[in-house]
Amino acid sequence: MKRLFYSFAIILSGICLISCESEDALEPDYKNPSDYFQPAADDNSEEAQLRRKFFADHGSYLLFNDTLQNVYLGKDINGDPRYFVETVDLTYTVGQTGYGTSQSSYTFTYIPNFEQKLAMTEYLETYILPHFSGAMRPYSWLLTKTIIGKMGKDVSAQTISPYAVVNQRCVAVACNYLTQRERTEAQKNNYASRVLNIMVSSMVKAQTDAFGEFEAVSHDYYGRSYSSLGLENVNQEKLYQYGFLVAGSTVGYMTDLSTDISSYAANVVTYTDEQLEQRYGKYELVMLKHRLMKQTLERLGYIF
């Protein structure tokens, strides 16, 4: 009986082995996420060709619509069609640090025709893209007519209309100001400066590890209460003396590292060295941190 059991086991093992070998090898069901940021392979429209050329020239994807996927899944129990829809979620961040908040949401109006899409792409290439290389280059750009943001989830949510919104995988830019009518060169540069200010001050919040030298200057003061530093009635002059451009979000406290980095980044992107010297020249720590900020941004790939 025992010999019969062993023989049966061997035969069963052989059958299983033959069965397994006869099956096709399993293949992973994987689709590269970058596929959703580019036109379909069979799309030869003017817009698709523009987007492909943009990626070839700059290494970043170009979008005019925030919908990445719209996949038909079949019909539900009532016979109605079901779809899987994925959009560019500008509130999403890995680990939810650095860019925006889950308590915000954004809606867009799209650029209506190809002529304006082409014009706004050329604007992007002329006034904004030349400032980015390396780690600072965005993964993708979403050019829209307007951006409307809701800050908060209840009836008291604040409505905003930002020039741009930054996410880890996309930078959305509102172009309505530029498409309304022809703008002067000064106006075009001014608008680009506003977009760059928003972009860089947001981007650096997710790269605080790169700002070690900058952080060291005010390391002992971040988040400290004024009273613990022996200070009373702290005004802007006193903040400058301690190397800060802005006060902390909590009354009576110095600012945190992330806000400090963001405020300095916005300054060096917006103002020339001469303008910074004229405004802050007598504050040694402020000028030192401006120099360190500029050096770090250049190392990360920002081009002044």
Side-chain angles (χ1 to χ4, degrees):
M1 177 64 72
K2 187 176 294 185
R3 179 180 296 176
L4 180 61
F5 174 78
Y6 288 154
S7 298
F8 178 74
I10 292 172
I11 293 171
L12 183 60
S13 298
I15 293 173
C16 290
L17 181 60
I18 294 171
S19 176
C20 290
E21 288 179 346
S22 66
E23 292 180 1
D24 294 334
L26 294 176
E27 296 183 3
D29 182 14
Y30 171 76
K31 190 171 180 63
N32 190 333
S34 66
D35 292 344
Y36 305 124
F37 285 81
Q38 51 192 321
D42 59 353
D43 185 352
N44 293 310
S45 64
E46 288 182 308
E47 180 177 320
Q49 294 179 49
L50 173 64
R51 292 173 60 197
R52 292 191 188 100
K53 184 178 186 304
F54 184 90
F55 181 80
D57 291 344
H58 306 291
S60 297
Y61 296 103
L62 178 63
L63 304 171
F64 296 103
N65 189 306
D66 66 322
T67 300
L68 298 175
Q69 294 189 70
N70 188 14
V71 181
Y72 176 67
L73 300 177
K75 295 184 177 181
D76 62 18
I77 193 171
N78 297 316
D80 297 321
R82 294 185 302 117
Y83 295 90
F84 171 73
V85 179
E86 179 187 8
T87 61
V88 176
D89 183 2
L90 293 177
T91 67
Y92 174 74
T93 301
V94 176
Q96 292 300 323
T97 59
Y99 297 95
T101 168
S102 60
Q103 294 300 308
S104 57
S105 61
Y106 298 94
T107 56
F108 313 91
T109 56
Y110 300 134
I111 299 174
N113 56 63
F114 178 75
E115 288 70 23
Q116 288 189 347
K117 292 175 182 178
L118 177 59
M120 291 304 96
T121 300
E122 291 174 346
Y123 176 85
L124 180 65
E125 292 176 316
T126 302
Y127 294 89
I128 297 177
L129 272 175
H131 292 284
F132 296 97
S133 67
M136 295 291 285
R137 183 182 291 116
Y139 181 78
S140 68
W141 299 84
L142 171 61
L143 301 185
T144 69
K145 186 176 181 181
T146 63
I147 304 172
I148 303 298
K150 291 286 188 180
M151 303 296 104
K153 296 295 184 181
D154 53 27
V155 293
S156 63
Q158 178 186 5
T159 300
I160 62 172
S161 300
Y163 302 114
V165 179
V166 181
N167 172 267
Q168 281 182 318
R169 63 177 187 172
C170 187
V171 174
V173 180
C175 302
N176 192 47
Y177 173 81
L178 301 166
T179 59
Q180 287 176 331
R181 61 179 181 274
E182 183 61 31
R183 299 293 179 178
T184 66
E185 190 66 14
Q187 289 172 326
K188 291 177 181 179
N189 280 306
N190 183 57
Y191 196 78
S193 179
R194 294 181 181 185
V195 172
L196 290 169
N197 185 311
I198 293 172
M199 288 181 61
V200 175
S201 59
S202 297
M203 287 173 159
V204 294
K205 289 182 179 180
Q207 302 190 56
T208 54
D209 291 346
F211 294 88
E213 292 180 272
F214 175 93
E215 177 188 5
V217 177
S218 300
H219 176 79
D220 294 337
Y221 307 130
Y222 288 122
R224 291 278 300 274
S225 66
Y226 298 159
S227 59
S228 71
L229 297 171
L231 301 175
E232 295 182 7
N233 301 320
V234 174
N235 56 19
Q236 189 64 58
E237 179 81 10
K238 182 62 70 174
L239 288 175
Y240 288 156
Q241 292 172 7
Y242 273 78
F244 293 110
L245 299 177
V246 295
S249 57
T250 302
V251 176
Y253 286 79
M254 292 294 187
T255 193
D256 58 273
L257 173 61
S258 178
T259 304
D260 194 34
I261 289 176
S262 181
S263 62
Y264 272 92
N267 256 17
V268 299
V269 168
T270 303
Y271 303 109
T272 65
D273 292 343
E274 292 74 18
Q275 289 172 323
L276 292 173
E277 177 66 35
Q278 183 177 8
R279 184 171 183 177
Y280 304 104
K282 67 178 182 178
Y283 305 106
E284 181 179 353
L285 291 182
V286 172
M287 292 305 299
L288 171 60
K289 290 171 74 172
H290 275 126
R291 289 193 295 273
L292 292 173
M293 172 57 63
K294 188 170 184 178
Q295 292 169 7
T296 303
L297 287 180
E298 289 176 331
R299 286 198 299 271
L300 290 173
Y302 188 81
I303 302 170
F304 287 88

